[in-house]
Amino acid sequence: MSLWRKKQTVSELDFDSMTMEGQEALRYNSDTKERHSFSCWVRWINSAYLFAGVAVMVADGAQWIQLSDGVIITMLGTTTLNVLGLAFIILHGLFDKEKKQ
C-alpha cells in the first residue's frame, strides 16, 4: 500500500450531497488510511533511529569512535523514550477506549 495520499474526486469533496451515514463512512475510511500511513511512517523512522543508535554503540564499543559516558547515556535514554513514546501515541490513537462524538 502506498504511503502517498490519493487525490480525491469531486464527489468525495461534496459533503452536502452525501447522507450523514455516507459522510461518517468516508471520514472513518479516511481516518483509517491516515492511521495506517502514520503507523507505517513511525515504524520506519523508529527502525532507522534504532539501527543508527546500535551502529553508534557498536562503533564506540569497537573503539572506532570515542564518545563520553554522558553521550552514551543520553543516546540510550532518548532511544528508549522514542520507542516507548511513539508506540504509546500510535496505540492510544488506534485503540482509544473513549468514544468520541
Side-chain angles (χ1 to χ4, degrees):
M1 178 177 262
S2 175
L3 294 178
W4 298 103
R5 174 182 267 172
K6 295 180 182 178
K7 291 188 177 182
Q8 295 175 329
T9 62
V10 175
S11 64
E12 289 177 333
L13 296 175
D14 187 17
F15 290 107
D16 293 333
S17 65
M18 296 175 69
T19 64
M20 185 59 94
E21 291 81 19
Q23 291 177 13
E24 288 175 356
L26 185 63
R27 182 175 298 136
Y28 178 77
N29 189 22
S30 175
D31 287 350
T32 302
K33 287 179 183 178
E34 289 295 323
R35 288 176 178 171
H36 176 72
S37 174
F38 180 66
S39 65
C40 287
W41 178 80
V42 169
R43 191 175 341 151
W44 282 104
I45 293 296
N46 241 356
S47 298
Y49 188 79
L50 287 172
F51 178 75
V54 168
V56 169
M57 296 296 172
V58 167
D60 184 56
Q63 296 184 351
W64 296 330
I65 59 174
Q66 294 196 359
L67 301 173
S68 68
D69 290 342
V71 173
I72 301 284
I73 291 169
T74 302
M75 283 187 63
L76 289 173
T78 58
T79 301
T80 303
L81 287 175
N82 185 20
V83 170
L84 296 176
L86 290 175
F88 173 78
I89 290 169
I90 290 173
L91 292 175
H92 183 68
L94 291 176
F95 302 108
D96 191 13
K97 293 181 180 180
E98 181 181 321
K99 189 172 184 177
K100 298 177 183 174
Q101 293 186 10

